Amino acid sequence: MRLGPSYRAAQEYARLGYAVLPLLPGEKRPHPGLTPHGLKQASVDPATITRWWRACPEAGVGLLPGPEVLVLDFDDPEAWEALRRDFPALEAAPRQRTASGGYHVFLRLPQGVRLSATTRKLPGVDLRGMGRAYVVAAPTRLRGGRGYAWEVPLTPPEALPPVPEGLLLRLLPPPPPPPREVVVGSSPRRLRALLEAYADRVAATPPGQRHNTLIAYARAAGGLLPHGLDPREAEEALVAAAMRAGLPEREARAAVRWGLEVGSAQPLPLEPSASLPPRARWALNRRARMKEVAHE
């Protein structure tokens, strides 16, 4: 049996490093007869892909990018025009026109950085890919003849352009303010107390929020580096806390290093301890001294 362009495209996507899955002809849904578990069965195996398209040559192509690939899904072409005016580098990223007239734009996340697919920070834009959300890919055609087509060809994940830093910062949660129970200021003792408070919060983060929480507190700790916090101390404390929360060390370390680097360019504003009432200053300084003794 001679197989058509959808099959050839699926094999090419797999060769580039993207898992694929067959879609019901004319629809966006995974083919239930071939992939009853949906995107969990997406594959890069040539034999599996051949078996699927021999069973249903008219199947469309679904693409499941890995955790390091962010796909910006623009339903509204005006949203795409507005964002690329703000970030001209997006123009060079792989981009396909969707059946609805929108766009899919493929970008690479920094190592260790993860985003939630439910994030709604950009009007008219959904987040896809990242190993959790598939997209329909060319040359799939939906009912009514509407199809998908590449305007800028897809590349392997490692060759994708990075998400512009300013755009990524829009999508990530902001650094949290200094904890109220920790005295602020920039003495070494106070900086250590802030770092310990950040690490405590990272360690207590439940699954599903760990990456974003770690990055938020790494950025906050990075904002303490210009005040004198030791970057090595910050890295080790946050990585250890992330591992206690259940993240692998390699992922945690990459996320922490990125967060510290970005945060260091935005010093965290710290109020002087003198702004606190005398009794509160005494209590918080006593707690900081007790922690310092425990470290020694």
PDB file of all heavy atoms in Angstrom, residues 265-295:
ATOM      1  N   ALA A 265      19.660  40.495  37.852  1.00  0.00           N
ATOM      2  CA  ALA A 265      19.560  41.744  37.086  1.00  0.00           C
ATOM      3  C   ALA A 265      18.454  42.649  37.625  1.00  0.00           C
ATOM      4  O   ALA A 265      18.310  43.784  37.167  1.00  0.00           O
ATOM      5  CB  ALA A 265      19.297  41.435  35.618  1.00  0.00           C
ATOM      6  N   GLN A 266      17.677  42.142  38.587  1.00  0.00           N
ATOM      7  CA  GLN A 266      16.582  42.918  39.164  1.00  0.00           C
ATOM      8  C   GLN A 266      16.688  42.846  40.687  1.00  0.00           C
ATOM      9  O   GLN A 266      15.997  42.033  41.325  1.00  0.00           O
ATOM     10  CB  GLN A 266      15.233  42.367  38.683  1.00  0.00           C
ATOM     11  CG  GLN A 266      15.075  42.423  37.168  1.00  0.00           C
ATOM     12  CD  GLN A 266      13.824  41.701  36.711  1.00  0.00           C
ATOM     13  OE1 GLN A 266      13.489  40.631  37.195  1.00  0.00           O
ATOM     14  NE2 GLN A 266      13.113  42.299  35.772  1.00  0.00           N
ATOM     15  N   PRO A 267      17.570  43.640  41.295  1.00  0.00           N
ATOM     16  CA  PRO A 267      17.755  43.584  42.752  1.00  0.00           C
ATOM     17  C   PRO A 267      16.434  43.703  43.497  1.00  0.00           C
ATOM     18  O   PRO A 267      15.593  44.549  43.173  1.00  0.00           O
ATOM     19  CB  PRO A 267      18.671  44.771  43.042  1.00  0.00           C
ATOM     20  CG  PRO A 267      19.396  45.007  41.741  1.00  0.00           C
ATOM     21  CD  PRO A 267      18.406  44.665  40.663  1.00  0.00           C
ATOM     22  N   LEU A 268      16.249  42.831  44.471  1.00  0.00           N
ATOM     23  CA  LEU A 268      15.021  42.839  45.255  1.00  0.00           C
ATOM     24  C   LEU A 268      15.038  44.034  46.206  1.00  0.00           C
ATOM     25  O   LEU A 268      16.015  44.226  46.944  1.00  0.00           O
ATOM     26  CB  LEU A 268      14.919  41.540  46.052  1.00  0.00           C
ATOM     27  CG  LEU A 268      13.526  41.100  46.503  1.00  0.00           C
ATOM     28  CD1 LEU A 268      12.650  40.783  45.300  1.00  0.00           C
ATOM     29  CD2 LEU A 268      13.628  39.884  47.412  1.00  0.00           C
ATOM     30  N   PRO A 269      14.004  44.861  46.193  1.00  0.00           N
ATOM     31  CA  PRO A 269      13.995  46.000  47.119  1.00  0.00           C
ATOM     32  C   PRO A 269      13.834  45.507  48.552  1.00  0.00           C
ATOM     33  O   PRO A 269      12.916  44.737  48.861  1.00  0.00           O
ATOM     34  CB  PRO A 269      12.783  46.821  46.658  1.00  0.00           C
ATOM     35  CG  PRO A 269      11.907  45.851  45.944  1.00  0.00           C
ATOM     36  CD  PRO A 269      12.816  44.837  45.322  1.00  0.00           C
ATOM     37  N   LEU A 270      14.725  45.914  49.434  1.00  0.00           N
ATOM     38  CA  LEU A 270      14.695  45.495  50.830  1.00  0.00           C
ATOM     39  C   LEU A 270      14.552  46.714  51.724  1.00  0.00           C
ATOM     40  O   LEU A 270      15.360  47.639  51.661  1.00  0.00           O
ATOM     41  CB  LEU A 270      15.978  44.734  51.197  1.00  0.00           C
ATOM     42  CG  LEU A 270      16.234  43.441  50.418  1.00  0.00           C
ATOM     43  CD1 LEU A 270      17.571  42.837  50.840  1.00  0.00           C
ATOM     44  CD2 LEU A 270      15.114  42.442  50.631  1.00  0.00           C
ATOM     45  N   GLU A 271      13.515  46.698  52.544  1.00  0.00           N
ATOM     46  CA  GLU A 271      13.327  47.801  53.474  1.00  0.00           C
ATOM     47  C   GLU A 271      14.338  47.687  54.605  1.00  0.00           C
ATOM     48  O   GLU A 271      14.678  46.584  55.029  1.00  0.00           O
ATOM     49  CB  GLU A 271      11.913  47.775  54.056  1.00  0.00           C
ATOM     50  CG  GLU A 271      10.818  47.916  53.013  1.00  0.00           C
ATOM     51  CD  GLU A 271       9.453  47.717  53.620  1.00  0.00           C
ATOM     52  OE1 GLU A 271       9.393  47.530  54.859  1.00  0.00           O
ATOM     53  OE2 GLU A 271       8.466  47.743  52.878  1.00  0.00           O
ATOM     54  N   PRO A 272      14.817  48.797  55.136  1.00  0.00           N
ATOM     55  CA  PRO A 272      15.743  48.725  56.270  1.00  0.00           C
ATOM     56  C   PRO A 272      15.045  48.179  57.502  1.00  0.00           C
ATOM     57  O   PRO A 272      13.866  48.421  57.735  1.00  0.00           O
ATOM     58  CB  PRO A 272      16.173  50.179  56.477  1.00  0.00           C
ATOM     59  CG  PRO A 272      15.060  50.980  55.886  1.00  0.00           C
ATOM     60  CD  PRO A 272      14.545  50.186  54.726  1.00  0.00           C
ATOM     61  N   SER A 273      15.799  47.418  58.298  1.00  0.00           N
ATOM     62  CA  SER A 273      15.209  46.814  59.491  1.00  0.00           C
ATOM     63  C   SER A 273      14.735  47.871  60.484  1.00  0.00           C
ATOM     64  O   SER A 273      13.893  47.615  61.326  1.00  0.00           O
ATOM     65  CB  SER A 273      16.220  45.890  60.171  1.00  0.00           C
ATOM     66  OG  SER A 273      17.378  46.611  60.533  1.00  0.00           O
ATOM     67  N   ALA A 274      15.280  49.090  60.374  1.00  0.00           N
ATOM     68  CA  ALA A 274      14.882  50.138  61.303  1.00  0.00           C
ATOM     69  C   ALA A 274      13.415  50.509  61.165  1.00  0.00           C
ATOM     70  O   ALA A 274      12.841  51.138  62.053  1.00  0.00           O
ATOM     71  CB  ALA A 274      15.749  51.374  61.095  1.00  0.00           C
ATOM     72  N   SER A 275      12.783  50.130  60.045  1.00  0.00           N
ATOM     73  CA  SER A 275      11.380  50.473  59.850  1.00  0.00           C
ATOM     74  C   SER A 275      10.470  49.593  60.690  1.00  0.00           C
ATOM     75  O   SER A 275       9.281  49.856  60.800  1.00  0.00           O
ATOM     76  CB  SER A 275      10.999  50.341  58.374  1.00  0.00           C
ATOM     77  OG  SER A 275      11.094  48.990  57.959  1.00  0.00           O
ATOM     78  N   LEU A 276      11.022  48.530  61.288  1.00  0.00           N
ATOM     79  CA  LEU A 276      10.229  47.654  62.130  1.00  0.00           C
ATOM     80  C   LEU A 276      10.176  48.181  63.552  1.00  0.00           C
ATOM     81  O   LEU A 276      11.105  48.847  64.014  1.00  0.00           O
ATOM     82  CB  LEU A 276      10.840  46.241  62.140  1.00  0.00           C
ATOM     83  CG  LEU A 276      10.852  45.515  60.800  1.00  0.00           C
ATOM     84  CD1 LEU A 276      11.679  44.245  60.929  1.00  0.00           C
ATOM     85  CD2 LEU A 276       9.455  45.187  60.345  1.00  0.00           C
ATOM     86  N   PRO A 277       9.091  47.853  64.286  1.00  0.00           N
ATOM     87  CA  PRO A 277       9.044  48.239  65.697  1.00  0.00           C
ATOM     88  C   PRO A 277      10.187  47.586  66.456  1.00  0.00           C
ATOM     89  O   PRO A 277      10.636  46.490  66.107  1.00  0.00           O
ATOM     90  CB  PRO A 277       7.679  47.697  66.165  1.00  0.00           C
ATOM     91  CG  PRO A 277       6.881  47.526  64.910  1.00  0.00           C
ATOM     92  CD  PRO A 277       7.868  47.204  63.837  1.00  0.00           C
ATOM     93  N   PRO A 278      10.704  48.229  67.518  1.00  0.00           N
ATOM     94  CA  PRO A 278      11.857  47.680  68.247  1.00  0.00           C
ATOM     95  C   PRO A 278      11.656  46.254  68.714  1.00  0.00           C
ATOM     96  O   PRO A 278      12.564  45.434  68.618  1.00  0.00           O
ATOM     97  CB  PRO A 278      12.000  48.664  69.429  1.00  0.00           C
ATOM     98  CG  PRO A 278      11.405  49.934  68.936  1.00  0.00           C
ATOM     99  CD  PRO A 278      10.280  49.541  68.032  1.00  0.00           C
ATOM    100  N   ARG A 279      10.475  45.918  69.236  1.00  0.00           N
ATOM    101  CA  ARG A 279      10.251  44.557  69.736  1.00  0.00           C
ATOM    102  C   ARG A 279      10.320  43.547  68.600  1.00  0.00           C
ATOM    103  O   ARG A 279      10.883  42.455  68.747  1.00  0.00           O
ATOM    104  CB  ARG A 279       8.911  44.486  70.461  1.00  0.00           C
ATOM    105  CG  ARG A 279       8.681  43.133  71.131  1.00  0.00           C
ATOM    106  CD  ARG A 279       7.389  43.155  71.953  1.00  0.00           C
ATOM    107  NE  ARG A 279       7.197  41.896  72.622  1.00  0.00           N
ATOM    108  CZ  ARG A 279       7.767  41.542  73.780  1.00  0.00           C
ATOM    109  NH1 ARG A 279       8.577  42.391  74.385  1.00  0.00           N
ATOM    110  NH2 ARG A 279       7.517  40.359  74.323  1.00  0.00           N
ATOM    111  N   ALA A 280       9.756  43.912  67.434  1.00  0.00           N
ATOM    112  CA  ALA A 280       9.795  42.990  66.290  1.00  0.00           C
ATOM    113  C   ALA A 280      11.224  42.819  65.796  1.00  0.00           C
ATOM    114  O   ALA A 280      11.647  41.722  65.442  1.00  0.00           O
ATOM    115  CB  ALA A 280       8.898  43.513  65.164  1.00  0.00           C
ATOM    116  N   ARG A 281      12.004  43.919  65.769  1.00  0.00           N
ATOM    117  CA  ARG A 281      13.402  43.802  65.344  1.00  0.00           C
ATOM    118  C   ARG A 281      14.170  42.865  66.266  1.00  0.00           C
ATOM    119  O   ARG A 281      14.956  42.033  65.823  1.00  0.00           O
ATOM    120  CB  ARG A 281      14.068  45.189  65.325  1.00  0.00           C
ATOM    121  CG  ARG A 281      13.604  46.075  64.194  1.00  0.00           C
ATOM    122  CD  ARG A 281      14.657  47.140  63.879  1.00  0.00           C
ATOM    123  NE  ARG A 281      15.075  47.891  65.052  1.00  0.00           N
ATOM    124  CZ  ARG A 281      14.444  48.975  65.497  1.00  0.00           C
ATOM    125  NH1 ARG A 281      13.368  49.423  64.874  1.00  0.00           N
ATOM    126  NH2 ARG A 281      14.893  49.625  66.567  1.00  0.00           N
ATOM    127  N   TRP A 282      13.903  43.018  67.597  1.00  0.00           N
ATOM    128  CA  TRP A 282      14.613  42.172  68.562  1.00  0.00           C
ATOM    129  C   TRP A 282      14.265  40.700  68.346  1.00  0.00           C
ATOM    130  O   TRP A 282      15.142  39.837  68.313  1.00  0.00           O
ATOM    131  CB  TRP A 282      14.228  42.596  69.986  1.00  0.00           C
ATOM    132  CG  TRP A 282      14.876  41.727  71.038  1.00  0.00           C
ATOM    133  CD1 TRP A 282      16.111  41.879  71.577  1.00  0.00           C
ATOM    134  CD2 TRP A 282      14.298  40.567  71.644  1.00  0.00           C
ATOM    135  NE1 TRP A 282      16.349  40.876  72.489  1.00  0.00           N
ATOM    136  CE2 TRP A 282      15.256  40.054  72.549  1.00  0.00           C
ATOM    137  CE3 TRP A 282      13.068  39.913  71.513  1.00  0.00           C
ATOM    138  CZ2 TRP A 282      15.016  38.916  73.317  1.00  0.00           C
ATOM    139  CZ3 TRP A 282      12.833  38.784  72.268  1.00  0.00           C
ATOM    140  CH2 TRP A 282      13.810  38.289  73.167  1.00  0.00           C
ATOM    141  N   ALA A 283      12.963  40.395  68.160  1.00  0.00           N
ATOM    142  CA  ALA A 283      12.541  39.001  68.015  1.00  0.00           C
ATOM    143  C   ALA A 283      13.099  38.385  66.742  1.00  0.00           C
ATOM    144  O   ALA A 283      13.579  37.244  66.742  1.00  0.00           O
ATOM    145  CB  ALA A 283      11.010  38.923  68.018  1.00  0.00           C
ATOM    146  N   LEU A 284      13.067  39.134  65.644  1.00  0.00           N
ATOM    147  CA  LEU A 284      13.523  38.583  64.378  1.00  0.00           C
ATOM    148  C   LEU A 284      15.039  38.440  64.364  1.00  0.00           C
ATOM    149  O   LEU A 284      15.581  37.465  63.838  1.00  0.00           O
ATOM    150  CB  LEU A 284      13.048  39.482  63.227  1.00  0.00           C
ATOM    151  CG  LEU A 284      11.537  39.433  62.978  1.00  0.00           C
ATOM    152  CD1 LEU A 284      11.126  40.531  61.999  1.00  0.00           C
ATOM    153  CD2 LEU A 284      11.123  38.073  62.437  1.00  0.00           C
ATOM    154  N   ASN A 285      15.741  39.397  64.951  1.00  0.00           N
ATOM    155  CA  ASN A 285      17.193  39.263  65.018  1.00  0.00           C
ATOM    156  C   ASN A 285      17.599  38.092  65.913  1.00  0.00           C
ATOM    157  O   ASN A 285      18.579  37.398  65.643  1.00  0.00           O
ATOM    158  CB  ASN A 285      17.817  40.570  65.530  1.00  0.00           C
ATOM    159  CG  ASN A 285      17.969  41.593  64.414  1.00  0.00           C
ATOM    160  OD1 ASN A 285      18.289  41.235  63.293  1.00  0.00           O
ATOM    161  ND2 ASN A 285      17.723  42.856  64.732  1.00  0.00           N
ATOM    162  N   ARG A 286      16.836  37.852  66.982  1.00  0.00           N
ATOM    163  CA  ARG A 286      17.129  36.714  67.853  1.00  0.00           C
ATOM    164  C   ARG A 286      16.953  35.410  67.083  1.00  0.00           C
ATOM    165  O   ARG A 286      17.778  34.498  67.185  1.00  0.00           O
ATOM    166  CB  ARG A 286      16.196  36.753  69.072  1.00  0.00           C
ATOM    167  CG  ARG A 286      16.457  35.615  70.068  1.00  0.00           C
ATOM    168  CD  ARG A 286      15.594  35.820  71.313  1.00  0.00           C
ATOM    169  NE  ARG A 286      15.876  34.779  72.285  1.00  0.00           N
ATOM    170  CZ  ARG A 286      15.264  33.592  72.307  1.00  0.00           C
ATOM    171  NH1 ARG A 286      14.349  33.312  71.383  1.00  0.00           N
ATOM    172  NH2 ARG A 286      15.571  32.689  73.223  1.00  0.00           N
ATOM    173  N   ARG A 287      15.866  35.325  66.308  1.00  0.00           N
ATOM    174  CA  ARG A 287      15.654  34.116  65.509  1.00  0.00           C
ATOM    175  C   ARG A 287      16.778  33.919  64.504  1.00  0.00           C
ATOM    176  O   ARG A 287      17.274  32.816  64.288  1.00  0.00           O
ATOM    177  CB  ARG A 287      14.313  34.217  64.768  1.00  0.00           C
ATOM    178  CG  ARG A 287      14.007  32.997  63.917  1.00  0.00           C
ATOM    179  CD  ARG A 287      12.699  33.182  63.183  1.00  0.00           C
ATOM    180  NE  ARG A 287      12.444  32.053  62.310  1.00  0.00           N
ATOM    181  CZ  ARG A 287      11.490  32.010  61.406  1.00  0.00           C
ATOM    182  NH1 ARG A 287      10.679  33.041  61.266  1.00  0.00           N
ATOM    183  NH2 ARG A 287      11.332  30.949  60.636  1.00  0.00           N
ATOM    184  N   ALA A 288      17.207  35.007  63.843  1.00  0.00           N
ATOM    185  CA  ALA A 288      18.288  34.899  62.863  1.00  0.00           C
ATOM    186  C   ALA A 288      19.580  34.444  63.523  1.00  0.00           C
ATOM    187  O   ALA A 288      20.325  33.620  62.976  1.00  0.00           O
ATOM    188  CB  ALA A 288      18.496  36.248  62.158  1.00  0.00           C
ATOM    189  N   ARG A 289      19.872  34.961  64.756  1.00  0.00           N
ATOM    190  CA  ARG A 289      21.090  34.543  65.455  1.00  0.00           C
ATOM    191  C   ARG A 289      21.049  33.068  65.826  1.00  0.00           C
ATOM    192  O   ARG A 289      22.047  32.357  65.709  1.00  0.00           O
ATOM    193  CB  ARG A 289      21.268  35.404  66.717  1.00  0.00           C
ATOM    194  CG  ARG A 289      21.762  36.813  66.443  1.00  0.00           C
ATOM    195  CD  ARG A 289      22.273  37.465  67.718  1.00  0.00           C
ATOM    196  NE  ARG A 289      21.214  37.570  68.727  1.00  0.00           N
ATOM    197  CZ  ARG A 289      20.378  38.594  68.828  1.00  0.00           C
ATOM    198  NH1 ARG A 289      20.459  39.614  67.978  1.00  0.00           N
ATOM    199  NH2 ARG A 289      19.469  38.640  69.793  1.00  0.00           N
ATOM    200  N   MET A 290      19.859  32.585  66.224  1.00  0.00           N
ATOM    201  CA  MET A 290      19.713  31.181  66.598  1.00  0.00           C
ATOM    202  C   MET A 290      19.959  30.275  65.381  1.00  0.00           C
ATOM    203  O   MET A 290      20.605  29.230  65.463  1.00  0.00           O
ATOM    204  CB  MET A 290      18.328  30.921  67.184  1.00  0.00           C
ATOM    205  CG  MET A 290      18.124  31.558  68.549  1.00  0.00           C
ATOM    206  SD  MET A 290      16.425  31.365  69.163  1.00  0.00           S
ATOM    207  CE  MET A 290      16.366  29.571  69.354  1.00  0.00           C
ATOM    208  N   LYS A 291      19.460  30.697  64.213  1.00  0.00           N
ATOM    209  CA  LYS A 291      19.684  29.914  62.983  1.00  0.00           C
ATOM    210  C   LYS A 291      21.155  29.923  62.606  1.00  0.00           C
ATOM    211  O   LYS A 291      21.696  28.932  62.152  1.00  0.00           O
ATOM    212  CB  LYS A 291      18.831  30.469  61.831  1.00  0.00           C
ATOM    213  CG  LYS A 291      17.362  30.103  61.932  1.00  0.00           C
ATOM    214  CD  LYS A 291      16.645  30.410  60.634  1.00  0.00           C
ATOM    215  CE  LYS A 291      15.225  29.864  60.650  1.00  0.00           C
ATOM    216  NZ  LYS A 291      14.556  30.024  59.342  1.00  0.00           N
ATOM    217  N   GLU A 292      21.797  31.083  62.792  1.00  0.00           N
ATOM    218  CA  GLU A 292      23.200  31.189  62.456  1.00  0.00           C
ATOM    219  C   GLU A 292      24.043  30.266  63.335  1.00  0.00           C
ATOM    220  O   GLU A 292      24.954  29.583  62.865  1.00  0.00           O
ATOM    221  CB  GLU A 292      23.662  32.637  62.611  1.00  0.00           C
ATOM    222  CG  GLU A 292      25.037  32.892  62.024  1.00  0.00           C
ATOM    223  CD  GLU A 292      25.355  34.378  62.004  1.00  0.00           C
ATOM    224  OE1 GLU A 292      25.428  34.983  63.080  1.00  0.00           O
ATOM    225  OE2 GLU A 292      25.510  34.910  60.897  1.00  0.00           O
ATOM    226  N   VAL A 293      23.719  30.186  64.631  1.00  0.00           N
ATOM    227  CA  VAL A 293      24.431  29.295  65.541  1.00  0.00           C
ATOM    228  C   VAL A 293      24.230  27.838  65.121  1.00  0.00           C
ATOM    229  O   VAL A 293      25.151  27.017  65.144  1.00  0.00           O
ATOM    230  CB  VAL A 293      23.956  29.514  66.984  1.00  0.00           C
ATOM    231  CG1 VAL A 293      24.490  28.410  67.893  1.00  0.00           C
ATOM    232  CG2 VAL A 293      24.408  30.878  67.482  1.00  0.00           C
ATOM    233  N   ALA A 294      22.998  27.503  64.700  1.00  0.00           N
ATOM    234  CA  ALA A 294      22.722  26.126  64.276  1.00  0.00           C
ATOM    235  C   ALA A 294      23.543  25.741  63.068  1.00  0.00           C
ATOM    236  O   ALA A 294      23.866  24.570  62.866  1.00  0.00           O
ATOM    237  CB  ALA A 294      21.230  25.978  63.984  1.00  0.00           C
ATOM    238  N   HIS A 295      23.888  26.726  62.209  1.00  0.00           N
ATOM    239  CA  HIS A 295      24.686  26.444  61.006  1.00  0.00           C
ATOM    240  C   HIS A 295      26.135  26.167  61.366  1.00  0.00           C
ATOM    241  O   HIS A 295      26.864  25.513  60.638  1.00  0.00           O
ATOM    242  CB  HIS A 295      24.635  27.622  60.047  1.00  0.00           C
ATOM    243  CG  HIS A 295      23.464  27.553  59.105  1.00  0.00           C
ATOM    244  ND1 HIS A 295      23.450  26.759  57.987  1.00  0.00           N
ATOM    245  CD2 HIS A 295      22.271  28.188  59.151  1.00  0.00           C
ATOM    246  CE1 HIS A 295      22.294  26.899  57.370  1.00  0.00           C
ATOM    247  NE2 HIS A 295      21.569  27.762  58.052  1.00  0.00           N
TER     248      HIS A 295
END
